[in-house]
Amino acid sequence: MSDIIQLLPDHVANQIAAGEVVQRPASVVKELLENAIDAKATHIKLIIKEAGKTLIQVIDDGMGMSVTDARLSFERHATSKIKTAEDLFQLKTKGFRGEALASIAAIAHVELKTKQEKDEVGTEIKIEGSQVISQEVCVSPKGTSISVKNLFYNIPARRNFLKSNSVELRHIIDEFQRVAMVHATIKFDFYHNGSEIFNLPISNRRQRIVQVFGGKTNEKLVPVNEETDLVSISGFVGKPEYAKRTRGEQFFFVNDRFIKSAYLNHAVSSAFEGLLKEKAHPSYFIYLKVDPQSIDINIHPTKTEIKFDDEHALYAMLRSTIKHSLGQFNVAPVLDFNRDSSMDTPYEYKGKIAQTPTIEVDRSFNPFKEEKKENAGFSSSKPYTDFKKDAAGSWENLYVGLDTPDIAPKPVENNFSTVEFESTEVTGSLFKGNENTELAHNTTYQLRRKYIVTTIKSGMVIINQHRAHQRILYEEVLRNITMASAVSQQLLFPLKLSFSKQEAILLKEVKEQLENTGFVFDDISEEEATISGIPTVTTESEVSMLLEKLVSDIEQEVPDSGFSLTDLLARSISGSLAVRTGVDLEIEQQQHIVNSLFACTEPTITPDNKPTFITLTVDDIDKKF
Ligand code: ADP
Ligand code: MG
């Protein structure tokens, strides 16, 4: 057989390499920003269009390139940053692989303009798919401007793989923030489709974090500082009372590079031990400086994972430093996480003249009339007077309006109060057409605050209370969003919640859908949302947690999960509000769950495809004896 091995042509090799370096527009943004920083820029401008799909441009005032360097910069393994393999252990720059520009030029239309300070004129180069189209002398200020247009134009499969503009923009903002947070001494401007997203003047680290995450961040930060031979630790942790239910603002930077490390994250979390309520995650912005020789950055092409020589010592030091800082700043243990903001005196109220309360007497009240079956805190709980702080709070609201049909959203096919187990048509195959499966007695029993046990003629059903409730709420929220049928409860005083710019952008994107679920937004500004109405399924004290979780769920939307945004919202909201394991349920509540669950279109599984209940037939039980 003749020889069959060939060397791949450069442009093909470049395209393959590009796959590693450039996954999406955000990767290009990261590489270009890093190059500008390595070029010692003091002002960097990022301009993108259509979430980077049509244009990504980075303009810097750094040192620029000579004519030869400009041309060479697009070659693979062309770098000015290392010369020998040993240099890898002395890295002071962000780039070093010499791959970024070559990769980007292989899969996009690239225009480079660059000029060094000492030169009169600059160089302009156009490259498309690794082919140099033109190289000319040009007029240019000192520094470099690189435009990357039509990313993946020659790899349609990749281009089609890109997510919606809002998702891609989010990734870009993430990368931008990670770079901007480290380099407070560089001025950054960021424009998307002509409008300014960030304008970050030169400042210090603390101010930069505040610029990026919003004005309210400042009061939440506790400084962290420690110098040892092994490492210098600086930065901030969030005060425990501001801890979030979701992992939001958690950043590690090692030698000015953003990195991900589950191990170090654990060190921080353990420093917060005893200070946080269950399932709360602290914010942190930790900057570590270590000897470049003691780490290996080269283990991942995007350089977000690194290896430390002495991980254990680092862990211990980080943990004790943060513990110390939290102690020094007098952070008292366990603060009331669920404090209901509706208990606060609202600003609008201050200085108002108090009105004399009036007394109303119900003259038709007859104490001897037989009381309607009523459960305290059940039907009478009005959301804004409900100051209960446990998870059951959400639960009770499910009942709000059950006896006031004009308030509660009740699509005909799902009138919970009238749904009868036996008579429901939509009870799924389990109960359909089989006399044996009809509910024998309407008795329910709660097992270990986790399961609801009830009997059917053929045996018994064991229902997972949290999962079942999640299914019920999910269908309700979904129905409300799609039919825009939800009714909202007006808040006495508008609720103001603060968000980062990034979160506010997200919130605006889903505003309409949220309004269909019952939210009423008076305003969503850059850093704050004003809410005057909330869905009946939630309470005022839960709203902040709910929206926080929602925003983070959208942020972390699993690529290619194939779920629609509506579905995501419904899953997130139902997940947040569903009654938890560990909550005692009254008999009525248990029965309500049972009835509502089997009135669902898809009662057998949760929105995430987990079983909601199991059945044990008498046969099954017999076999056990
Ligand atoms: P690396 O950053 O790993 O060296 P790149 O492909 O990103 O590889 O860049 C190749 C080279 O081009 C860099 O080493 C640098 O010398 C030069 N270069 C790239 N971007 C700029 C810039 N904005 N200003 C000055 N020089 C640059
Ligand atoms: Mg680079």
Side-chain angles (χ1 to χ4, degrees):
M1 204 166 127
S2 56
D3 299 336
I4 50 171
I5 298 179
Q6 296 177 3
L7 279 177
L8 287 175
D10 267 359
H11 70 276
V12 179
N14 281 340
Q15 269 196 16
I16 294 171
E20 277 207 319
V21 183
V22 184
Q23 276 110 32
R24 51 180 5 131
S27 332
V28 175
V29 169
K30 172 175 188 265
E31 295 294 339
L32 297 185
L33 291 178
E34 290 190 346
N35 279 347
I37 290 164
D38 284 344
K40 306 204 164 29
T42 60
H43 181 185
I44 299 175
K45 216 169 176 174
L46 169 63
I47 299 166
I48 59 170
K49 291 211 171 114
E50 287 183 67
K53 290 175 186 170
T54 47
L55 173 75
I56 299 165
Q57 183 176 17
V58 171
I59 306 170
D60 69 55
D61 63 351
M63 62 197 185
M65 286 179 261
S66 69
V67 186
T68 331
D69 281 355
R71 179 66 195 79
L72 259 182
S73 66
F74 290 101
E75 293 297 323
R76 241 169 108 208
H77 308 305
T79 178
S80 55
K81 299 168 194 176
I82 59 171
K83 293 201 169 65
T84 67
E86 282 77 60
D87 291 346
L88 271 178
F89 301 100
Q90 294 297 339
L91 281 176
K92 298 235 162 25
T93 53
K94 302 208 174 269
F96 56 83
R97 300 167 69 108
E99 275 178 335
L101 288 187
S103 298
I104 294 167
I107 50 167
H109 298 165
V110 178
E111 284 174 34
L112 164 80
K113 270 191 182 182
T114 186
K115 186 180 92 76
Q116 292 181 308
E117 185 146 43
K118 62 177 175 52
D119 293 338
E120 285 285 300
V121 286
T123 311
E124 179 173 352
I125 296 180
K126 290 188 182 160
I127 297 192
E128 293 182 0
S130 299
Q131 300 292 315
V132 179
I133 304 292
S134 70
Q135 173 162 354
E136 285 161 15
V137 172
C138 73
V139 181
S140 157
K142 171 204 165 203
T144 304
S145 156
I146 300 190
S147 311
V148 177
K149 295 181 184 164
N150 309 322
L151 191 66
F152 298 130
Y153 80 99
N154 51 358
I155 316 181
R158 266 300 171 104
R159 200 169 167 87
N160 295 337
F161 185 72
L162 292 178
K163 309 279 288 182
S164 67
N165 283 3
S166 57
V167 173
E168 294 300 341
L169 176 62
R170 224 151 23 193
H171 285 286
I172 292 177
I173 293 178
D174 277 345
E175 292 294 356
F176 174 84
Q177 289 180 338
R178 290 166 183 178
V179 172
M181 279 165 67
V182 180
H183 298 279
T185 54
I186 299 177
K187 171 174 160 57
F188 285 92
D189 295 316
F190 178 0
Y191 296 87
H192 180 227
N193 291 341
S195 50
E196 181 185 281
I197 297 200
F198 286 99
N199 168 354
L200 311 175
I202 290 173
S203 58
N204 61 29
R205 280 225 169 116
R206 184 171 188 135
Q207 286 166 351
R208 180 53 62 87
I209 293 170
V210 173
Q211 288 165 3
V212 170
F213 292 101
K216 300 249 166 62
T217 316
N218 197 28
E219 64 200 65
K220 304 179 186 173
L221 301 178
V222 177
V224 174
N225 274 303
E226 182 67 275
E227 293 276 344
T228 71
D229 290 345
L230 182 73
V231 59
S232 128
I233 303 173
S234 63
F236 305 89
V237 292
K239 290 182 186 162
E241 67 262 43
Y242 294 107
K244 297 196 168 195
R245 298 286 176 112
T246 54
R247 294 172 189 282
E249 292 148 11
Q250 301 191 327
F251 297 89
F252 280 118
F253 303 95
V254 175
N255 295 356
D256 290 349
R257 197 186 292 278
F258 170 82
I259 60 134
K260 294 178 182 159
S261 166
Y263 188 66
L264 294 185
N265 173 64
H266 192 269
V268 179
S269 303
S270 73
F272 274 84
E273 227 167 60
L275 292 172
L276 297 178
K277 283 223 165 172
E278 206 192 334
K279 292 202 178 134
H281 301 283
S283 303
Y284 56 79
F285 313 87
I286 304 280
Y287 302 81
L288 305 173
K289 276 247 180 291
V290 297
D291 181 350
Q293 291 209 37
S294 72
I295 49 171
D296 182 358
I297 308 167
N298 208 12
I299 54 174
H300 200 269
T302 56
K303 314 177 196 107
T304 48
E305 280 159 46
I306 65 176
K307 245 178 72 192
F308 297 95
D309 278 357
D310 202 348
E311 243 182 6
H312 294 299
L314 199 57
Y315 182 102
M317 249 170 246
L318 192 58
R319 182 167 183 267
S320 70
T321 305
I322 293 175
K323 266 196 150 166
H324 180 74
S325 299
L326 288 171
Q328 245 192 352
F329 278 78
N330 259 338
V331 182
V334 185
L335 293 128
D336 190 356
F337 198 84
N338 288 323
R339 199 178 57 86
D340 194 317
S341 53
S342 56
M343 300 277 279
D344 296 343
T345 311
Y347 289 117
E348 296 93 313
Y349 230 49
K350 287 189 178 139
K352 254 194 180 172
I353 301 160
Q355 282 186 352
T356 325
T358 52
I359 301 163
E360 273 176 37
V361 181
D362 179 1
R363 293 184 194 283
S364 64
F365 177 67
N366 174 0
F368 302 108
K369 214 169 91 185
E370 205 186 316
E371 240 182 80
K372 258 180 51 192
K373 199 175 98 187
E374 196 180 279
N375 194 306
F378 215 58
S379 51
S380 62
S381 86
K382 273 277 175 303
Y384 40 79
T385 53
D386 173 18
F387 300 133
K388 261 191 108 171
K389 288 182 178 140
D390 60 10
S394 62
W395 163 259
E396 293 160 10
N397 286 291
L398 196 65
Y399 292 85
V400 171
L402 274 192
D403 32 18
T404 48
D406 41 322
I407 300 178
K410 270 195 250 168
V412 213
E413 77 276 16
N414 203 25
N415 194 332
F416 291 161
S417 60
T418 61
V419 164
E420 285 296 333
F421 209 28
E422 308 92 307
S423 62
T424 316
E425 289 217 349
V426 283
T427 49
S429 55
L430 177 67
F431 300 96
K432 218 180 267 171
N434 182 350
E435 298 228 315
N436 267 340
T437 56
E438 275 183 15
L439 196 63
H441 304 285
N442 209 8
T443 46
T444 55
Y445 171 77
Q446 195 186 15
L447 186 66
R448 298 246 163 168
R449 296 189 184 140
K450 184 170 185 187
Y451 299 107
I452 303 168
V453 182
T454 188
T455 49
I456 48 177
K457 277 193 181 156
S458 65
M460 67 196 270
V461 190
I462 303 170
I463 299 171
N464 181 311
Q465 65 187 48
H466 174 69
R467 291 188 186 175
H469 196 202
Q470 198 179 343
R471 161 56 62 184
I472 297 164
L473 290 175
Y474 170 78
E475 292 200 4
E476 186 177 344
V477 173
L478 207 58
R479 202 166 38 238
N480 286 338
I481 298 180
T482 43
M483 301 183 6
S485 58
V487 178
S488 65
Q489 19 168 342
Q490 288 298 306
L491 299 177
L492 222 42
F493 305 101
L495 193 63
K496 289 190 189 298
L497 298 177
S498 54
F499 291 95
S500 71
K501 279 191 183 172
Q502 157 97 321
E503 291 169 334
I505 291 175
L506 277 181
L507 209 57
K508 272 191 202 153
E509 276 168 27
V510 296
K511 177 167 175 266
E512 198 180 320
Q513 282 98 330
L514 285 177
E515 286 182 337
N516 289 346
T517 70
F519 277 101
V520 180
F521 291 99
D522 289 351
D523 183 39
I524 302 180
S525 69
E526 267 190 0
E527 293 177 1
E528 196 173 65
T530 314
I531 299 166
S532 63
I534 59 176
T536 45
V537 288
T538 182
T539 61
E540 192 169 346
S541 56
E542 287 171 328
V543 168
S544 145
M545 177 272 291
L546 181 92
L547 291 180
E548 216 175 72
K549 168 101 181 356
L550 188 84
V551 166
S552 116
D553 282 351
I554 305 174
E555 255 175 352
Q556 287 161 17
E557 180 194 20
V558 192
D560 289 327
S561 58
F563 290 116
S564 70
L565 186 62
T566 319
D567 185 77
L568 186 79
L569 293 180
R571 271 187 300 142
S572 174
I573 294 174
S574 60
S576 294
L577 297 182
V579 63
R580 303 271 152 211
T581 295
V583 174
D584 260 325
L585 298 179
E586 308 271 347
I587 291 289
E588 286 85 350
Q589 295 171 315
Q590 297 171 20
Q591 289 180 351
H592 182 85
I593 288 200
V594 175
N595 287 331
S596 309
L597 176 66
F598 292 108
C600 283
T601 324
E602 187 108 38
T604 53
I605 45 167
T606 65
D608 309 306
N609 269 328
K610 292 186 196 130
T612 49
F613 65 86
I614 54 162
T615 52
L616 269 182
T617 63
V618 178
D619 276 353
D620 294 337
I621 299 170
D622 283 346
K623 277 183 205 138
K624 303 233 175 241
F625 286 95

